[in-house]
Structure formats: structure tokens, C-alpha cells
Amino acid sequence: MTVEGIATIRYLTTASFGYGAAALLPGVLAELGLRRPLLVTDRGVRASGIAESVAAPLGRAATWFDGTPPNPTEEAVRDAVEAYRGAGCDGVVAIGGGSSIDLAKGVALLATHAGPLEGFAAVNGGLERITAAVAPVVAIPTTAGTGSEVGRAAMLNVGDRKLDVISPHLFPARALCDPGLTLGLPPALTAATGMDALTHCIETFLSPLVNPPAEAIALDGAARAAASLERAVAHGTDRRARWDMMMASMEGALTFQKGLGAVHGMAHPLGALPGLPLHHGTLNAVLLPAVL
């Protein structure tokens, strides 16, 4: 296929991938039976007009929450849950980078499960406490890095700790991966998020765990990122480079179901330092050469 077509990819969840995929949102919401979604984004993405253009066909049926911080916090999740309940929402649409998508997963969880967020963290045995009652999430990434739109985890800051909330019930019900939403992404953010995707692929491939299918995906994602990241940074409107980077991002999340490594092992706690909003992808870029 060419970069101009839309592919339907069913793997861990169902993703519509290609230029124009974001326009499928109204039909996807109808398929899922969602009539009053909460739109989760951040102020930058909303101010850019990207989120507004994606959500325009929904009219007044949607409620906005644009308070996602650079590293999503429990406080922000609870504020969004309050908006969700106040408007009688029945699902969540995340439009943004990994932070917005992870926060949306936190909202989908706490809107349907009682208890503090900390109790659902993987390190606290939270996997067994998360049920199929999680509200449905539609994820629309506007960066090419975390791949959270096809992942089963949400990284959320609780106090001074970054906790991993993991469950097969946290996979978004649908992902709409539209490279067109990244054409205006600034060079620095393109580089930082792209290094996150590349790190996912490299760390997964080098993990000693046994998962040959994940390794095959990692190799394809790493090859795409290595060939296209510099071009996407230098020429942000290059449609082929943007397509490849969004695919590398999605593949990075598909493959890291196998496991990550020391780069992420250090980047996550650094990203939770209070008062120091360090970008996760930039941290990976700094740490990766030393770890290798």
C-alpha cells in the first residue's frame, strides 16, 4: 500500500492507521455505542487547533478536559474523573501524546473502580483488581513516540513515584493513528518522541526474554525509526517520514509487551521527580547511549 491509504490492523487492539484516520472518530464512537465522550487532551494540543478539528464533528455531545500535565498525575486524573461524572460521560477519547492517552486510561479506570490509584499499580498487585468494567477509550495520538494508543499500560505519577498501571482491560478499544496530525509537530518534540519509539524497539529486541514475534516487530520498528527520524525532524512535512515514525511508534508499543530494560528503568523514576518536568523521550535519548 502507499502512505495515502488507511489500513486496519488487528493485533493487541484494533487500529485504523493512515492519513485521514482521525476522521473515522464519529463512526467509531457509533460502533462502540458512545454518545457522551470525555475528550482528554492538553492545553497545547487544544490551542494548536488539532484537537478541536478532530472533535469538530461531535459538536456539543462531548465534554472537554484539557488539563493533562507533561507527566500525568493522580490529581489530574481525579479532576478529569470529576468532569466525566459531572457530564454523565460514557467513554473517553484521548487526543494527544502519551501523557493524554495515559491520563485517559486512568480516567477510564477510576471512573469505574473504587479506591486510590496506588492500589491499581502493578507493584501493588493491581493487575488482579482491574476488571472489564473499565470505560472504553478511543486513542488518537498526535505524536509518534509512546505508542500508548495500542498499549495495556498507563504511567501515572502518584506523589513522587511514577507507577505503572497494567491490565489487558486498559487497551484502548480503538486507536486512530493519523500521521497527518504530526505534520506540524515541532522538531524538538519530534526528536524526543521519536527517540522514545526507537528506544522501545531497541530495548525489546535486546531483552533476554523469549518472544520471537515481538523481536520481529522490534526490528521493523527500529529500521523505520533509524531511516526516518532525522528526516522527520529536519523536514516535518515529509509524509513518508511521518508515516514511518507513527508506525515505528505503534510497533514500539506492540513489541514492548515482551519487556524493556535499564533505559526505561531509569527514565521512569527521573520523570517522576517533583518540580522537574523532564520529558520521557528526551530522558531515553540521553540514557540510551550509556546503557548500550
Side-chain angles (χ1 to χ4, degrees):
M1 63 171 288
T2 70
V3 297
E4 304 303 332
I6 298 175
T8 299
I9 301 172
R10 293 182 177 90
Y11 189 73
L12 300 175
T13 187
T14 299
S16 297
F17 190 104
Y19 283 96
L24 301 176
L25 178 59
V28 167
L29 293 179
E31 286 177 26
L32 297 174
L34 302 182
R35 297 184 177 182
R36 295 191 60 82
L38 178 72
L39 302 182
V40 172
T41 188
D42 64 56
R43 292 185 178 89
V45 172
R46 192 172 183 188
S48 72
I50 294 175
E52 299 279 3
S53 65
V54 171
L58 306 184
R60 296 184 178 181
T63 299
W64 285 93
F65 178 83
D66 62 4
T68 303
N71 289 297
T73 62
E74 180 178 26
E75 292 77 12
V77 171
R78 294 203 173 277
D79 288 344
V81 168
E82 186 175 338
Y84 181 99
R85 289 175 174 161
C89 295
D90 54 6
V92 187
V93 175
I95 307 172
S99 295
S100 292
I101 298 173
D102 280 2
L103 188 137
K105 293 177 183 178
V107 174
L109 173 62
L110 291 192
T112 53
H113 291 67
L117 188 58
E118 187 173 17
F120 298 105
V123 295
N124 296 325
L127 176 63
E128 297 179 358
R129 302 188 184 101
I130 301 174
T131 73
V134 171
V137 175
V138 177
I140 306 175
T142 60
T143 63
T146 71
S148 186
E149 67 274 6
V150 294
R152 61 180 176 174
M155 295 299 302
L156 301 167
N157 285 8
V158 179
D160 59 356
R161 301 174 67 197
K162 184 178 281 287
L163 297 179
D164 211 348
V165 181
I166 303 174
S167 169
H169 300 302
L170 289 178
F171 283 117
R174 287 288 299 273
L176 302 180
C177 304
D178 188 339
L181 302 183
T182 69
L183 291 174
L185 199 65
L189 193 54
T190 299
T193 54
M195 282 304 300
D196 191 20
L198 180 59
T199 303
H200 289 160
C201 295
I202 291 174
E203 284 207 289
T204 292
F205 184 74
L206 295 178
S207 166
L209 300 175
V210 178
N211 190 329
E215 291 163 15
I217 295 172
L219 283 177
D220 189 78
R224 290 181 187 277
S228 298
L229 178 53
E230 287 185 284
R231 196 163 73 252
V233 171
H235 306 285
T237 57
D238 186 316
R239 293 173 71 85
R240 177 81 248 183
R242 291 296 193 183
W243 193 100
D244 278 341
M245 286 312 303
M246 183 158 278
M247 179 57 74
S249 174
M250 186 175 81
E251 289 180 311
L254 293 176
T255 188
F256 71 50
Q257 307 304 314
K258 174 188 172 186
L260 292 169
V263 177
H264 276 77
M266 289 187 281
H268 285 158
L270 286 170
L273 292 175
L276 196 62
L278 299 172
H279 189 276
H280 176 68
T282 303
L283 286 169
N284 285 339
V286 171
L287 293 166
L288 181 61
V291 171
L292 289 176

